[in-house]
């Protein structure tokens, strides 16, 4: 990554979200509160699953891993976005930009595979309850998580390996609050068309494939419930609607950017706020406030603390 002369850029300028000072202060407050909520909410899920033995099941093992990934994904972009909102000169080093991009794709790719695994877990629990513990054994669950991480790393490194070798000698302004492969490739001093195709084939396929696998899984679940409950889908639909909402919110920005790559508008940077700040805070709300097991575990934890305090 060494730079040999001054004609090669060593940093990128992130144009951010807004030029109005009042709006910047407002966004700083909002995103600071969101980030705090994301970290506290997902840490709460992570520690509750670890501490409560009743939650040592495949579903909550995958949920704890989702919380870990959500914290990592938002931490790669939101803190930098918050600091840049109040800074006039919004720069990120070449190395920092590449590192941020790699972590975004590693964590994003891993989360997509994990969401598919969680949908399969629910499908198995509802449609094949007698074989659930056999299919979703501890070894299988660990293997799923490992495969997810390996897939995320391969997904990121396969793009990083050619982007890092592109020449950057001209403009260095990125019209966004974060670095990403499509916008970096646009700044390269070479014809980036073939690299754009590789990026589209890689990230676009993963985004669209994940989205349709998730929708297909939830469709199978709804059909199975409909057949077993004589057409009464109300309870299942209420439960799954929140999950489907998260899937749509998470996958839509990815499909917008990577299936229709390199847009001339800056709409995608606003859409990705959903992935980095909205979806990670929805997961604790959906899986905790709407989940009976988590509520019971929280009461048990509260009783244990009360008991220890007076013993």
């Amino acid at each position: 990554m060494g730079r040999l002369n001054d004609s090669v850029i060593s940093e990128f300028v992130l144009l951010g979200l807004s030029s109005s000072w009042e709006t910047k202060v407002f966004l700083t407050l909002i995103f600071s509160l969101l980030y705090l909520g994301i970290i506290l909410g997902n840490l709460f899920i992570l520690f509750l699953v670890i501490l409560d033995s009743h939650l040592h099941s495949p579903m909550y093992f995958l949920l704890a891993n989702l919380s870990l990934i959500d914290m990592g994904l938002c931490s790669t972009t939101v803190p930098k976005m918050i600091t840049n909102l109040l800074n006039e000169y919004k720069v990120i080093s070449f190395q920092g930009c590449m590192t941020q991009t790699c972590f975004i794709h590693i964590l994003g790719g891993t989360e997509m595979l994990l969401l598919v695994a969680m949908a399969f877990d629910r499908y198995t629990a509802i449609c094949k309850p007698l074989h659930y513990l056999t299919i979703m054994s501890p070894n299988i669950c660990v293997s799923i998580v490992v495969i997810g991480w390996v897939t995320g790393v391969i997904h990121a490194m396969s793009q990083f390996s050619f982007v890092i070798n592109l020449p950057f000698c001209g403009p260095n302004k990125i019209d966004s609050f974060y670095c990403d492969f499509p916008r970096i490739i646009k700044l390269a001093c070479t014809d980036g068309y073939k690299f754009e195709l590789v990026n589209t084939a890689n990230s676009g396929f993963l985004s669209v494939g994940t989205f349709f696998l998730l929708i297909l899984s939830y469709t199978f679940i709804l059909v199975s419930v409909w057949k077993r409950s004589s057409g009464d889908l109300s309870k299942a639909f209420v439960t799954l609607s929140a999950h489907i909402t998260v899937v749509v919110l998470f996958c839509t920005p990815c499909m917008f950017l990577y299936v229709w790559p390199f847009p001339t508008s800056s709409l995608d940077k606003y859409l990705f706020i959903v992935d980095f700040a909205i979806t990670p805070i929805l997961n604790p709300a959906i899986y905790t406030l709407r989940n009976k097991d988590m509520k019971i575990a929280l009461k048990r934890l509260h009783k244990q603390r009360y008991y220890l305090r007076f013993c």
Side-chain angles (χ1 to χ4, degrees), residues 195-215:
F195 301 114
E196 295 174 7
L197 290 180
V198 172
N199 180 264
T200 302
N202 189 320
S203 298
F205 175 78
L206 184 62
S207 303
V208 175
T210 298
F211 178 76
F212 281 106
L213 276 175
L214 288 168
I215 295 301

Side-chain angles (χ1 to χ4, degrees), residues 130-155:
L130 298 179
H131 303 285
Y132 175 67
L133 293 179
T134 302
I135 296 174
M136 298 299 295
S137 66
N139 289 337
I140 294 296
C141 290
V142 172
S143 299
I144 288 172
V145 172
V146 171
I147 290 171
W149 279 102
V150 170
T151 302
V153 171
I154 293 173
H155 161 68

Side-chain angles (χ1 to χ4, degrees), residues 30 48 65 72 84 107 134 157 173 178 184 218 224 284 304:
I30 294 299
L48 192 61
N65 279 274
N84 281 346
L107 293 168
T134 302
M157 291 299 108
K173 293 182 178 180
Y178 68 100
I184 296 173
Y218 289 125
S224 177
Q304 288 176 0

